[in-house]
Amino acid sequence: TWRTFLTNHLASAASMDFFTVSTLTGRVLFVVLVLSHHRRRIVHLNTTAHPTAEWAAQQVVEAFPDATPPRWIHRDRDRIYGAAFQRRVAGMGIAEVLSAPPSPWQNPYVERVIGSIRRECLDHVIVVNESHLRRVLSSYLLYYHRSRTHLGLNKDTPDRRPTAETSVGPIIVMPEVGGLHHRYERHAA
């Protein structure tokens, strides 16, 4: 089944999807997200106002710049994944796994991350322009990788967190994502 496939090949699979963000002036920006299933790590995120199949293909190259592409990439059947994209992915030795046409739940990891980005960040920010969106998303990525815990990772983060020493020192607050989220750590006395 689909679930068995994901479980058996988690370390050698990635997902890719697009989502849109409206700016203050009503422009629509497209965001591409490439997620490694192993450790739920976002390996690439980029924005554009005018995506093309060539641009999408280049994003896969930028996501896996070394000779370490995943074995499979899960994606939907969007028209943005045209012939140029398919040739580039095949040339990198990546097999495409396509979800059924109206079935976003077949790409659950990347859909869940996109939902988290929307709920935890973009729903609280008015995006001014593309460079502002990039700054906001870069800030969110730092938070996501270092501080945001995942139940699927046994309440750890994609960048493994060191276990904190028990201490009686004060708890300090570190704002993240422009103050939308906070990280709490106990410092030694």
Side-chain angles (χ1 to χ4, degrees):
T1 65
W2 187 253
R3 185 182 220 28
T4 305
F5 175 83
L6 288 177
T7 303
N8 292 341
H9 301 290
L10 196 63
S12 58
S15 293
M16 181 175 185
D17 205 358
F18 285 82
F19 65 97
T20 60
V21 177
S22 296
T23 66
L24 178 66
T25 60
R27 277 183 71 200
V28 176
L29 299 174
F30 294 84
V31 180
V32 64
L33 182 113
V34 181
L35 177 79
S36 171
H37 289 193
H38 184 66
R39 302 288 307 165
R40 311 296 195 276
R41 183 154 182 75
I42 298 172
V43 294
H44 187 69
L45 189 86
N46 203 355
T47 65
T48 186
H50 306 288
T52 63
E54 292 80 13
W55 183 82
Q58 183 60 34
Q59 300 314 300
V60 173
V61 172
E62 290 177 16
F64 306 106
D66 302 325
T68 58
R71 190 166 177 194
W72 293 281
I73 191 157
H74 301 258
R75 67 171 180 84
D76 57 20
R77 296 173 182 268
D78 197 331
R79 289 177 45 195
I80 192 69
Y81 305 111
F85 178 86
Q86 293 171 11
R87 280 192 306 274
R88 179 70 58 92
V89 169
M92 293 175 70
I94 303 172
E96 295 179 82
V97 179
L98 305 179
S99 59
S103 305
W105 61 85
Q106 289 183 346
N107 203 352
Y109 296 130
V110 77
E111 294 293 341
R112 196 171 303 132
V113 170
I114 290 170
S116 295
I117 291 171
R118 287 192 186 284
R119 283 185 306 277
E120 297 173 4
C121 182
L122 296 176
D123 286 353
H124 305 279
V125 175
I126 297 173
V127 176
V128 179
N129 55 30
E130 190 171 348
S131 62
H132 179 238
L133 177 60
R134 286 181 190 194
R135 283 193 309 274
V136 168
L137 291 175
S138 294
S139 176
Y140 182 80
L141 283 184
L142 289 174
Y143 161 75
Y144 177 86
H145 287 129
R146 295 182 312 182
S147 301
R148 188 179 186 284
T149 59
H150 300 265
L151 290 176
L153 298 175
N154 294 324
K155 296 187 180 179
D156 198 3
T157 61
D159 294 346
R160 297 179 191 270
R161 292 185 306 172
T163 305
E165 296 288 327
T166 55
S167 172
V168 294
I171 296 175
I172 63 163
V173 179
M174 295 174 287
E176 296 191 8
V177 195
L180 285 176
H181 300 281
H182 296 85
R183 182 175 178 170
Y184 301 91
E185 287 186 5
R186 185 178 296 273
H187 278 257

